[in-house]
Amino acid sequence: MKVEENLIDIQEWTETTIETTIKVNPQFQIWLITNGQLDLLVNGTRSRLRSGMALILDRGQIVKVEPKGEPFRLVVISVEPFDLFSPSLAEFYVTPHAETSRSKVLHPGEPGDKPVLDIIDKVIRSLKKKSSFALLDASLQLAVIWRYWIQQPQSRTKRHVQERMRLMLAYIHDHDTMKLTLEDIAATGGLSRAECCRYFSKWGDTSPLAYVQDVRMQRAARLLCETDSPVAQVANQLGFTSVSHFVQTFKKVHNRTPLAFRKQKT
């Protein structure tokens, strides 16, 4: 499920649809597990979300879902806080908090968390309604959540550390059709090769070149689902000179051949 209401984006993910590459969340986000459980790395720290729990993320947090092969259902709400307030209110209640860098897990068993989880549930139900006031109701409820959020203690991750990781991730995504080297990636973050490997190990439980492969195979999966391009053409678009090498790499990541993957998804 994906619903876009201009100001607010809400998407639903399962174990078969969610991408497991490292992500930098572009907006203020709320992740709510409605069924099952989900393991993930948030800024290099492991968390487990069980049904009924939620994760609140400032913009720019680095997250990686760690698949366990178990079923789950995840709802992600994304919003730009500046859109929830008038400019004069945003100056006081959004701008001073726009550069924070934190995350927080909410648990239904915690008395202080339960009211916020109830409001998150109201946001989801509002956006699913066929009502002319659905967006207004959801925006008002999200403004209350933002009020709660800016009152929380600000235990922050070092921003220069995050920025180096974000630069390396962006470089990989922008050049995923090229043959990237460890030296290329490390230089983008201003790191040595060994330091670069340590960053990816901590923040994504992977290596830089393994992440490059994952990004390329995620793009390959999208091309196979969204276009009718032959497998050889998809391989060529992603910089593979050998179709057989592309098929082997794709199968290693997605556990099926490109043709079998396309057939299953269509």
Side-chain angles (χ1 to χ4, degrees):
M1 176 201 73
K2 179 174 180 178
V3 179
E4 291 187 17
E5 294 288 355
N6 299 319
L7 301 180
I8 305 167
D9 178 76
I10 177 170
Q11 298 187 52
E12 194 168 295
W13 302 96
T14 67
E15 70 282 359
T16 59
T17 59
I18 196 166
E19 290 188 1
T20 56
T21 52
I22 309 169
K23 299 289 186 184
V24 180
N25 62 300
Q27 294 179 303
F28 179 69
Q29 288 189 336
I30 301 166
W31 294 31
L32 176 69
I33 291 288
T34 59
N35 186 53
Q37 66 181 31
L38 177 65
D39 289 349
L40 60 160
L41 275 169
V42 183
N43 297 325
T45 301
R46 280 186 165 78
S47 295
R48 171 169 289 179
L49 300 181
R50 295 184 175 87
S51 183
M53 296 173 66
L55 171 69
I56 302 181
L57 295 164
D58 269 330
R59 177 176 53 192
Q61 306 311 288
I62 298 171
V63 184
K64 182 190 178 187
V65 173
E66 298 194 302
K68 299 294 183 183
E70 300 172 355
F72 66 84
R73 192 166 295 277
L74 168 70
V75 178
V76 178
I77 303 165
S78 303
V79 67
E80 174 53 65
F82 285 98
D83 291 337
L84 298 174
F85 303 93
S86 67
S88 56
L89 284 176
E91 182 180 351
F92 286 99
Y93 299 114
V94 180
T95 301
H97 306 278
E99 295 303 317
T100 59
S101 180
R102 57 205 161 109
S103 64
K104 179 178 174 63
V105 173
L106 303 178
H107 195 291
E110 293 291 331
D113 294 348
K114 184 64 166 58
V116 185
L117 288 166
D118 289 341
I119 297 173
I120 293 171
D121 183 62
K122 288 179 182 178
V123 172
I124 295 169
R125 287 190 281 111
S126 293
L127 291 173
K128 289 183 177 180
K129 287 179 182 177
K130 301 297 183 182
S131 164
S132 56
F133 292 102
L135 182 58
L136 175 60
D137 291 341
S139 298
L140 292 172
Q141 290 149 0
L142 282 169
V144 174
I145 294 173
W146 181 255
R147 181 182 185 277
Y148 158 83
W149 183 241
I150 64 177
Q151 292 178 299
Q152 299 308 296
Q154 297 187 18
S155 112
R156 307 182 182 186
T157 303
K158 293 181 180 178
R159 291 195 65 82
H160 73 278
V161 175
Q162 275 188 325
E163 185 59 26
R164 284 178 173 173
M165 191 66 189
R166 283 197 290 264
L167 286 170
M168 291 188 290
L169 294 175
Y171 179 78
I172 290 171
H173 282 271
D174 290 343
H175 300 84
D176 61 356
T177 60
M178 298 172 56
K179 184 174 178 60
L180 298 179
T181 67
L182 178 56
E183 289 81 0
D184 295 331
I185 299 166
T188 303
L191 301 170
S192 68
R193 292 186 301 175
E195 288 174 320
C196 176
C197 290
R198 284 195 290 270
Y199 266 64
F200 275 82
S201 178
K202 173 179 171 57
W203 293 72
D205 196 24
T206 188
S207 70
L209 295 182
Y211 181 69
V212 171
Q213 177 175 286
D214 286 344
V215 169
R216 297 173 84 191
M217 291 305 101
Q218 292 293 348
R219 177 176 284 201
R222 290 193 295 271
L223 288 171
L224 289 166
C225 292
E226 298 169 4
T227 73
D228 296 324
S229 301
V231 171
Q233 185 176 333
V234 172
N236 184 62
Q237 282 182 256
L238 292 170
F240 283 83
T241 56
S242 165
V243 176
S244 61
H245 181 212
F246 168 72
V247 171
Q248 290 171 1
T249 305
F250 188 94
K251 188 175 181 180
K252 183 178 179 181
V253 173
H254 294 287
N255 299 315
R256 57 185 68 85
T257 65
L259 287 177
F261 182 89
R262 172 177 272 168
K263 185 176 180 179
Q264 182 186 30
K265 296 293 182 178
T266 56

